[in-house]
Amino acid sequence: MELHLAKQSRKHTSKSLKVRLEDLLNKYHHHNEHVFYFAPTNTHKDMLNALACLEKQGYKAYLNEVKISADDKDFIYALHII
C-alpha cells in the first residue's frame, strides 16, 4: 500500500512523496519515528485501511485529521504508531 506524505510547506509546489507501509514500519523500528503526516490527497478509506493493516500486525495506531486553517478542506492526516 502506498500513501502520499504531507508536504513540508503549503507553499512548496513539488509533488508529495509516496511511501509504502513497510517503509514506515522500518522508520518506526530503526529511526524511532512514531508520528507520520500524510497529504489530504489520500482517501479516508485508504488511511483507514493502513490503520487496519497496522492493527492486524499487532501495532496500536491512531489516525487523526489535523486542521491547518479555518477551511474544512485544509487538513492533513496524522498517524501515530505506539
Side-chain angles (χ1 to χ4, degrees), residues 4-35:
H4 294 273
L5 290 175
K7 297 178 185 178
Q8 294 290 330
S9 170
R10 289 174 45 181
K11 295 179 183 178
H12 197 60
T13 58
S14 69
K15 293 177 113 180
S16 61
L17 298 174
K18 288 184 182 179
V19 67
R20 294 184 347 207
L21 200 55
E22 295 82 19
D23 296 334
L24 290 180
L25 289 175
N26 185 30
K27 286 184 179 185
Y28 171 74
H29 288 291
H30 294 41
H31 301 288
N32 205 24
E33 293 183 34
H34 297 271
V35 181

Side-chain angles (χ1 to χ4, degrees), residues 21-22 25 29 50-60:
L21 200 55
E22 295 82 19
L25 289 175
H29 288 291
L51 185 65
C53 286
L54 288 170
E55 289 176 346
K56 262 187 195 176
Q57 295 178 18
Y59 297 97
K60 192 167 262 206

